[in-house]
Amino acid sequence: MSHDGVGPRAAPRSVALLTAGILAVPALAGCGSDHDPAGEPLAGADIARADRAKLADGGTLRWAVDTVPATLNTFQADADSTTSRIAQAVLPSLYRTDGNGRVVPNPDYLESARVVDTEPKQVVLYQLGQQAVWSDGREIGAADFAAQWRALSGRDTAYWTARNAGYDRIGKIERGRNDLEVKVTFDRPYADWKSLFTPLYPKEVMGTPDSFNDGARKELKVTAGPFRVEKIDTDKDEVTLTRNTRWWGDPAKLSTIVLRSVPRDKRISALSAGTLDLADIDATAAGRVGAAAASARGESGSPPLMGPGADRSAADALRSWAVANGSDEDAADEEISARKKLRKKAEKYARQQKALAGFEVRKSLEPAYTQLALNGADGPLADERVRRAVARALDRGAIAEAVLKPLGLPAQPVGSHLALAGQAAYADGSGALGEQDAKEARALLADAGWVQGGPVKEEKKKEEKAAGSENDEGSGGDEAAGDEDAGGKDAGTDSEGGDDGTYIVGQDDEGDGGDDKAPHDSGTGTKQLNQGSAPGAYAPKGTAAPARADHAPVAKDGKALTLRFVLPSGPGSDTLVTVADRISAMLERIGIRTDVSKVDDDSYFKDHIASGEYDLALYSWPATAFPATDARPVYSKPVVAADGSLNVEQNYTRVGTDQVDQLFDQAIGTLDDAERHALIRKADSRIWAAAGSIPLFQRPELTAARRNLANAGAFGLRTPVFQDIGFLKKSAQGPSGSPAATASGSPAGD
C-alpha cells in the first residue's frame, strides 16, 4: 500500500456519533435528464496500443512493483496490489473493467452470465467457455464456484478471510445442465453479483481451511490464465510469471514477466541501468524521463540538462576555480575534492539521462482519488458546522490544478466519493455541500460559537500562579478602566476583569505591542484619540477593513481553533505536503490554524488514521465498479460494540448517518441498474453534506515504459490484458526504433 492508502479492489481497502437527523440536500444535478451524468473519464489509458500482429513473439518484461507479496491469496488480509496484479495474470476473472471503468464480461472465461429469476429468489446462471480449463487439465466448473463460496461466506471461521461481501448472500450453488453451466441462488438479492468469483481460485485452494490459509501464500500450483506463477524469489525480491501452455485464449506475446520489487526512489537508477522496462514513477522522475526523451529527439526548446552542478552560475564556477588554485593549500585540497565529487555525480547523471532516452512517460489518472479526511469522533470537528466550514473554505479546483496541471493532466476536482467520471454511478454531488465560500465558512464557524478575534486564555507560567492573584486583579482593573474611558467595555477584552491572562487573537500578527496592553493602546503608552478628536485618526465611515482582518484566528471558550494535520513523511509524500500547505493557507483565511505533524509511513495508518489520532489527514481510496458493496464500510455509521469500543470498519473519519446506511442497503438489493445508480448518487450527496471527507483530485498515474513496449503503461480505469502486452517487431517500429522510440529494450528481455 502506498503512503496515502490506495489499494486495488481485490485487496482489502485498509491498510457518540454525529449527525443523527435528516440532512437536507438539494436535488441531484442531472437526475431525470437525458444525458449521462457519468460523462467520460477525465483521462484515458495511455498504453501505446498496437495490434497483436505487430508484436514480436517472446521476450521478458521486467515490471517494477512495490513489494513481493506476502500471499498470493487476494482474499487474505495481508494481500496487496502485487497480489492482485498476479491474480489478474494467472487466474480467471469473469469480469473486467473497460476504459470507462465499467464492468464488462471477460470472453476468455464467460459465454454468458445473466439473472434468470428474481422470484422467489435471485438466480444467476453462468455459462462458462467450452475451453476453459485449469493448468492441470481439469475443467473450470461448479465445484470451484462452490468451494470459493463456502470459504468466503463467513459461516466457517476457520477460514482466515478478509472479506465476504456478497458471498454471504448466496444460498446454494449447483451444477446446471452440464459441467460448464453454474447456477447460483441468492438468499437475499445482490445487485453486485458481477463482483463475485473474480478472481476465481481452484477448489484445491478454497476447498479446506488449511489450503486456503496457507496453501496459496507462496505458490499457486493450479492456475488458469495466460500466465502461471513460475517462482517467488525472496532473495532477489521478484516474482516470475511464465506462459501457461494450457491457455486456450490468444497466446501471450511475452514469454516471461518478472515483477521486481524496487523502491520508488530507486526506479530511475534501475531504469537507466537496464534492469526495468516498466515502472510507475513520481513527478520528479517523470520530468527526468521526459527531458531525456526530448533531448534525444533534438526537440527545440527541450529542457536543459539538470542534475548535480546544473544550477551553478558562472560566478560560482569562477569562485570554485579560484579557491582550488589559490594559495591556501587546505582550502584548495578541499575544493579540488569537492569538484571531483561533483564531476562524478554530473557524469553519472548524464549517463543516466542518455540511457533514459530509451523510455517515455505514459500518463493517465488512477482509479483512485485523494481526499481530505476530517475526524468527527471528538474535538472541534465533532460539530458538523465546523466540518462544513472547513470544506467550504477549500478551493478544490486550485488544489487539483496545483497537482495535475504541471503534469499535463486534466485538473478537475473529483465530484463523488463513490465513483469517478466515466463510471456508471458517477455524478457530481458536491452541490450538497456547496462551492467555496469563505464568508459562508465564517458564518458556520460563528454559528458554532467560534468567534473571530475572540479572547483566548493564555497559559500562565508557574511562577505567576505562585505569586497569587492580587497583583493580577489590580493591574487588570486599571487597564479595563482605561479601555472604558477610551472606547467602551466591548473593545475586545473581558468586561469584568481586564485582560490579564488573555490576549486578543491576531493581535500579535498586527504588531500591537504585546499582551499587556489594552486593545486600544497603540503600543506607545498613549491612548488613541476618540473619533473626531484629530483629523486622520480614523478612516471615514464605511472604509473596508484591512485584508488581514478576515484572517484573524477564531476562538471559543478561551481557546483558539487549531486542528492537528497529520501527514506521512516518507518518499513520495511531497505532493501531499504541497496539498497540505495549500489547505492550511485556505483554512487560515477563515481563522482556523493547523498544527502539521509528519509521521513515519509505517505508523501513518495504524497509529494515526485507523486509531483516530488526527483532526485532518490526506489519504486515498480506490473507486471501484461496485460502490454499493465496496464503499459501504468506508462511509457506514460506526456502531458501539459489546465491549463499549467503537467499530468503525474502514470509516476512519468516524462520520456517518443512518440515511447513508439505508441508501447503501437499498442499492445493494436493487437489481435495476438505473435505480441502483440513483440510490448511489443520493448516498453520495448525503456523504458530501455530512462533510466527513472531501474528495480533492484523482491521483495521477505516471509510468516510465520502454518505447517499443506496447499495450502497457498507464492503464487508467482499464484492467490490463496481459496476453496482449509485448514488444514491437522491428518492422512495426518507427524510424528511431519504435513508434516514438529507440532501439534499446529488445524483445529478448534480459
Side-chain angles (χ1 to χ4, degrees), residues 235-257:
D235 292 332
K236 292 183 178 180
D237 282 337
E238 61 185 32
V239 180
T240 301
L241 311 179
T242 57
R243 280 176 179 163
N244 177 10
T245 56
R246 285 192 176 273
W247 173 246
W248 58 92
D250 291 332
K253 285 296 184 179
L254 295 168
S255 58
T256 307
I257 296 176

Side-chain angles (χ1 to χ4, degrees), residues 576-619:
L576 294 187
V577 172
T578 299
V579 171
D581 288 344
R582 287 180 173 263
I583 289 174
S584 295
M586 293 172 185
L587 294 181
E588 188 174 0
R589 294 189 188 109
I590 65 166
I592 298 177
R593 297 288 175 88
T594 54
D595 179 12
V596 178
S597 59
K598 299 176 183 178
V599 302
D600 186 74
D601 276 8
D602 293 336
S603 67
Y604 183 58
F605 255 86
K606 180 181 68 175
D607 297 334
H608 295 276
I609 308 304
S611 63
E613 293 298 319
Y614 75 97
D615 290 321
L616 303 175
L618 293 168
Y619 55 89

Side-chain angles (χ1 to χ4, degrees), residues 634-646:
V634 177
Y635 299 105
S636 61
K637 182 177 178 179
V639 296
V640 179
D643 62 358
S645 63
L646 194 65

Side-chain angles (χ1 to χ4, degrees), residues 184-431:
V184 178
T185 302
F186 291 83
D187 284 340
R188 292 176 290 160
Y190 186 54
D192 286 342
W193 59 270
K194 293 178 182 177
S195 69
L196 304 176
F197 309 110
T198 294
L200 177 66
Y201 283 81
K203 64 180 182 180
E204 289 82 357
V205 170
M206 295 292 190
T208 67
D210 286 343
S211 61
F212 179 91
N213 297 338
D214 298 316
R217 292 191 65 80
K218 295 300 181 184
E219 62 179 352
L220 283 175
K221 295 180 179 179
V222 180
T223 58
F227 289 88
R228 64 181 183 87
V229 179
E230 176 71 21
K231 65 178 178 178
I232 297 178
D233 191 330
T234 54
D235 292 332
K236 292 183 178 180
D237 282 337
E238 61 185 32
V239 180
T240 301
L241 311 179
T242 57
R243 280 176 179 163
N244 177 10
T245 56
R246 285 192 176 273
W247 173 246
W248 58 92
D250 291 332
K253 285 296 184 179
L254 295 168
S255 58
T256 307
I257 296 176
V258 177
L259 301 175
R260 185 166 292 162
S261 176
V262 181
R264 302 229 168 195
D265 58 346
K266 304 293 185 185
R267 291 183 181 179
I268 278 290
S269 296
L271 289 164
S272 62
T275 59
L276 287 178
D277 304 301
L278 186 66
D280 290 339
I281 54 177
D282 61 19
T284 301
R288 286 193 60 179
V289 174
S295 177
R297 293 192 298 268
E299 294 180 357
S300 59
S302 60
L305 182 65
M306 299 301 293
D311 57 347
R312 302 183 81 193
S313 66
D316 293 333
L318 181 60
R319 188 178 302 108
S320 174
W321 180 89
V323 173
N325 292 275
S327 58
D328 187 331
E329 293 184 1
D330 290 340
D333 290 344
E334 186 176 340
E335 187 65 22
I336 289 171
S337 177
R339 285 162 64 91
K340 287 182 178 179
K341 290 179 181 178
L342 183 62
R343 189 181 307 114
K344 288 182 178 179
K345 289 180 180 179
E347 290 171 352
K348 178 181 178 181
Y349 185 93
R351 289 195 301 271
Q352 286 183 338
Q353 288 302 106
K354 185 176 181 180
L356 291 174
F359 294 85
E360 64 184 3
V361 178
R362 298 173 186 174
K363 54 190 176 182
S364 184
L365 293 171
E366 288 186 20
Y369 66 87
T370 297
Q371 61 161 0
L372 175 67
L374 294 81
N375 184 1
D378 51 32
L381 294 179
D383 190 325
E384 182 183 291
R385 294 167 295 184
V386 179
R387 296 198 305 273
R388 290 175 65 86
V390 169
R392 297 296 294 273
L394 303 184
D395 185 343
R396 297 189 305 119
I399 293 171
E401 188 168 296
V403 174
L404 299 174
K405 189 174 181 180
L407 303 176
L409 290 166
Q412 187 171 323
V414 173
S416 171
H417 298 79
L418 306 179
L420 295 172
Q423 293 185 305
Y426 182 82
D428 190 338
S430 60

Side-chain angles (χ1 to χ4, degrees), residues 21-79:
I22 296 176
L23 294 170
V25 295
L28 287 169
C31 285
S33 61
D34 292 333
H35 76 283
D36 181 1
E40 295 292 328
L42 297 182
D46 186 3
I47 57 174
R49 288 186 179 86
D51 293 336
R52 287 175 53 84
K54 296 181 179 180
L55 303 183
D57 184 27
T60 296
L61 171 64
R62 296 153 304 178
W63 194 342
V65 294
D66 292 328
T67 60
V68 170
T71 179
L72 297 177
N73 187 339
T74 63
F75 297 102
Q76 293 182 331
D78 53 350

